[in-house]
Amino acid sequence: MTLALTLAAIAVTVILVARLCAPLGLPAPIALLLVGLVASVLPVVPDVSLDPDVVLLGLLPPLLYAAALGTSLVDIRANRRAILGLSVGLVLFTTFGVAIVAWWLLPIPFAVAVALGAIVAPPDAVAATAVARGIGLPRRVTTILEGESLLNDATALVTLRTAIAAAGLASTHHGFASHGAVSVGSVARDFGLAVVGGVGVGWVVFVLIGLIRRQLTEASSDTALSFAAPFLSYLPAELLGASGVLAVVTTGLLLAHKAPVLQSASSRLSERINWASVTFLLENAVFLLIGLQLSRLLTDVEASEISVGRAALVGLAILVTVLALRPLWLFPFTWLVGRLGRSSSTSADVPGTAVTSWAGMRGVVTLAAALTLPEDTDQRPTLVLIALIVTVGTLALQSTTLPVLARALDVRGPDPREDALQEATVVQATTGAGLRALEAEAALDPVVAQELRTNAELRVNRIWERLGTLGPRDDETPSEARRRLRIVMLEAERRELMRIRDEDDVDHEILSGVLSQLDAEEAALSWSTARAARIRDSDVLAPEQVSRACEHLAREADCAVPSSAGGCEQCLREGLAWVHLRICTRCGQVGCCDSSPGQHASKHFREEQHPVMRSLEPGEAWRWCFVDEVLG
């Protein structure tokens, strides 16, 4: 009963504190640390001891796996040089830089100082992802931060294991060696085994889970298998002496990459929702549990030969060292990568590099690694306190000032209108493939075929409508009107469903199925409405990553003199409201897009066969080829 009440109290506390911190913009982990510290001195709160194995085996694998599921394998491949330089080179650079400072300030052997450096070296995967996406950093910066924080844990933990062995300390924790001779050869062997073995085990588990998933038809079973995946990777890898971290990351990246093939749509949706909840609870619960032990930790430090004040000052010195070493490595490394890749844009991206150098928040891995130090380690309580100071310091300082720095250096994420333009291009291409498959069907009911064509056109038009200005007489686009009215209908349908439920004339299972369909439709409509609301006030150019070579785009003029300054001529004559204006680059005819009732741009192409139309909206410089259906 005590355990159940403790777990429930932890979950409720995490939810309440996170909810209170959200409107204030405060980092929830720091608030939870303070709440834990206050609670630890209350007599009604039981003594909670956080076992290192609970963190390493119970919390770390699922957190890494969840972060890997949200990371693109394609993007990591594209930025592999930068990611490897940070996840290996920067970790070792930080480890030995911190070791020198700690060895100078504390009465500890150099091997123990290296162990401390390895503990505080790796940034946290969850913190980096949350902050980068939350403030809207460029996608390349976000990818590098995610890839670095996923892979650097393996480097740090192998270095920590080697340092513990070199110090002659006995460790009983999983993944850490006991007494033994340490040499360059043994270090190289251990690191090679950690990398090759970890990736190998992760790949094998990915294959096995993929085979099992092909036989699963229920989303609940597939999600349950997903919960087991990180442990199926981590535990065998650690038992073999390989890196459990790399095994988990490998499995997660590959399963996420193959998810559209291996999983159903309902399984992918269920997995995303459930893992978001698990990550939220685990990540924040760790900081609350650390806070509950903070008073005992301070007592242990006070009982040692180093006072709490001195330990705090050393912790601040290590924090400053960690903050300084990252840009000292990153700027020269970025310049070198740019020179090797012959990319002037990469080497000259000083603002992006500056933002990346300030995005090194520490988190769960640092705290977990500190707790794994053997009990007979010199000044162990002080080292754990220093790790805590570095974690809290980086979270408090960098997570709060990073948005300010990004704005000051004008480092922005992708423009939402540019995203809409890319999305429209992709959806138009995929919709065209679907329509061609429809036409290839032998038994084709004309009524059903026309309904499917109309739905496909609406799906594309909903995206185009996020761009451009509204018509002369409307305050909402046709798709926005449809969404608003459909939500009104859904609310009425749900009220009627509740009335039928209260009369108890229909089985609960049937009512639940109908309610689930209504909820899924309303969630999709709300998501579309929220995305459309973010897209009205920014300039947009044709995104290079979806622009393709097209002879018509290359041959036609960039623009022409508009035939009308008042908008779509035919809409004005017919009394219709346009949604988005386009101009023919050959004759200057102004028309409206297919999301407008008149669809006069497409009609002009069908009548005149002029292949290219250009956007006539303020700030938009993209063109569209009707023949090849490409953007330019």
Side-chain angles (χ1 to χ4, degrees):
M1 180 64 71
T2 303
L3 177 61
L5 289 174
T6 302
L7 293 176
I10 290 173
V12 171
T13 303
V14 165
I15 294 170
L16 290 177
V17 173
R19 180 65 188 88
L20 293 174
C21 289
L24 300 176
L26 298 176
I30 297 175
L32 287 165
L33 273 173
L34 296 177
V35 170
L37 175 60
V38 173
S40 65
V41 299
L42 298 178
V44 295
V45 177
D47 186 22
V48 178
S49 178
L50 185 58
D51 190 284
D53 280 344
V54 171
V55 179
L56 271 179
L57 302 181
L59 302 181
L60 184 59
L63 287 174
L64 288 172
Y65 182 79
L69 287 180
T71 305
S72 168
L73 180 61
V74 175
D75 290 343
I76 285 185
R77 286 174 179 169
N79 297 279
R80 58 187 179 275
R81 283 185 179 178
I83 291 172
L84 287 175
L86 295 179
S87 59
V88 178
L90 178 56
V91 168
L92 295 176
F93 181 69
T94 305
T95 295
F96 287 97
V98 168
I100 293 172
V101 175
W103 187 45
W104 178 50
L105 295 175
L106 293 173
I108 56 176
F110 186 72
V112 175
V114 172
L116 175 62
I119 288 170
V120 301
D124 180 61
V126 179
T129 301
V131 173
R133 290 180 175 172
I135 67 176
L137 292 181
R139 287 203 172 100
R140 184 176 182 274
V141 173
T142 304
T143 299
I144 291 173
L145 292 175
E146 289 174 347
E148 174 203 2
S149 54
L150 281 175
L151 301 177
N152 60 13
D153 298 333
T155 305
L157 292 177
V158 170
T159 306
L160 176 58
R161 177 169 59 196
T162 305
I164 289 176
L169 300 171
S171 175
T172 59
H173 299 299
H174 296 280
F176 290 89
S178 57
H179 300 286
V182 176
S183 64
V184 175
S186 65
V187 171
R189 183 183 65 251
D190 287 347
F191 190 80
L193 176 61
V195 174
V196 177
V199 173
V201 171
W203 181 83
V204 170
V205 174
F206 153 70
V207 172
L208 293 176
I209 292 178
L211 293 175
I212 296 173
R213 270 188 167 163
R214 293 181 184 276
Q215 310 304 319
L216 297 178
T217 57
E218 295 182 354
S220 56
S221 301
D222 190 278
T223 304
L225 178 62
S226 179
F227 288 152
F231 304 102
L232 294 175
S233 298
Y234 190 89
L235 296 177
E238 289 294 312
L239 290 174
L240 293 174
S243 171
V245 171
L246 278 180
V248 171
V249 170
T250 300
T251 301
L253 287 174
L254 292 174
L255 286 175
H257 187 65
K258 290 293 185 180
V261 178
L262 299 176
Q263 293 176 280
S264 64
S266 59
S267 294
R268 293 193 296 273
L269 180 62
S270 174
E271 185 179 52
R272 282 195 296 269
I273 294 173
N274 282 282
W275 271 112
S277 302
V278 169
T279 302
F280 168 76
L281 281 175
L282 294 185
E283 173 78 4
N284 289 288
V286 169
F287 288 93
L288 178 61
L289 292 172
I290 293 293
L292 289 171
Q293 300 179 92
L294 193 53
S295 61
R296 186 199 308 166
L297 177 62
L298 294 175
T299 302
D300 293 340
V301 173
E302 191 67 43
S304 68
E305 60 185 271
I306 298 177
S307 65
V308 174
R310 181 184 175 189
L313 289 175
V314 174
L316 292 176
I318 299 297
L319 171 61
V320 172
T321 302
V322 166
L323 295 176
L325 289 175
R326 187 172 176 87
L328 284 177
W329 170 274
L330 203 54
F331 277 98
F333 176 77
T334 303
W335 176 82
L336 181 61
V337 169
R339 291 295 299 269
L340 292 176
R342 296 180 181 177
S343 172
S344 58
S345 61
T346 301
S347 57
D349 186 18
V350 176
T353 304
V355 170
T356 305
S357 69
W358 195 243
M361 290 72 68
R362 271 60 178 176
V364 175
V365 174
T366 293
L367 297 178
L371 293 174
T372 60
L373 286 172
E375 293 294 336
D376 57 342
T377 304
D378 290 331
Q379 308 300 332
R380 183 183 186 276
T382 299
L383 299 182
V384 176
L385 179 60
I386 290 172
L388 185 60
I389 291 173
V390 171
T391 301
V392 174
T394 54
L395 279 173
L397 186 60
Q398 293 182 319
S399 64
T400 55
T401 58
L402 189 61
V404 178
L405 178 64
R407 287 194 296 269
L409 297 177
D410 197 28
V411 177
R412 302 177 181 179
D415 191 307
R417 296 179 75 197
E418 186 174 331
D419 284 352
L421 194 56
Q422 293 186 55
E423 185 179 353
T425 308
V426 173
V427 172
Q428 186 131 11
T430 56
T431 300
L435 291 175
R436 289 190 295 272
L438 177 66
E439 300 298 335
E441 288 292 320
L444 189 63
D445 187 314
V447 176
V448 174
Q450 183 56 43
E451 180 183 352
L452 292 173
R453 291 191 195 97
T454 301
N455 289 336
E457 291 174 1
L458 287 174
R459 192 162 57 250
V460 177
N461 291 342
R462 280 195 293 267
I463 304 172
W464 283 116
E465 286 179 18
R466 298 178 195 163
L467 301 162
T469 56
L470 298 174
R473 297 182 304 169
D474 284 351
D475 58 358
E476 60 183 359
T477 66
S479 289
E480 290 171 345
R482 280 192 293 270
R483 283 196 296 267
R484 176 177 58 80
L485 295 175
R486 181 54 187 153
I487 288 177
V488 172
M489 293 173 62
L490 287 170
E491 292 174 351
E493 292 173 18
R494 189 177 291 106
R495 287 195 298 269
E496 179 64 14
L497 184 65
M498 295 301 97
R499 185 193 66 78
I500 295 172
R501 181 199 64 183
D502 294 340
E503 292 181 353
D504 198 21
D505 291 334
V506 181
D507 289 342
H508 172 73
E509 186 174 347
I510 296 174
L511 293 173
S512 296
V514 176
L515 181 61
S516 297
Q517 294 176 36
L518 297 180
D519 289 344
E521 184 178 357
E522 184 173 355
L525 290 172
S526 299
W527 178 79
S528 298
T529 301
R531 290 197 68 186
R534 297 195 298 264
I535 301 178
R536 290 290 179 194
D537 302 318
S538 58
D539 295 345
V540 59
L541 299 175
E544 296 180 0
Q545 53 265 51
V546 296
S547 302
R548 294 190 296 171
C550 169
E551 59 176 341
H552 305 97
L553 292 173
R555 186 174 62 240
E556 294 291 328
D558 181 62
C559 197
V561 178
S563 59
S564 169
C568 177
E569 299 175 59
Q570 290 180 271
C571 280
L572 293 172
R573 285 197 299 267
E574 298 171 14
L576 299 176
W578 63 79
V579 176
H580 191 282
L581 294 177
R582 300 179 179 181
I583 178 175
C584 176
T585 59
R586 182 171 296 182
C587 68
Q589 175 72 33
V590 177
C592 56
C593 70
D594 286 350
S595 52
S596 305
Q599 302 183 356
H600 293 123
S602 295
K603 288 181 180 178
H604 176 73
F605 165 68
R606 289 194 295 269
E607 292 170 359
E608 304 294 337
Q609 292 299 303
H610 295 171
V612 178
M613 299 288 284
R614 184 192 193 276
S615 172
L616 199 57
E617 297 296 333
E620 296 187 6
W622 53 269
R623 297 183 299 159
W624 175 261
C625 176
F626 284 99
V627 178
D628 299 318
E629 294 189 338
V630 295
L631 197 68

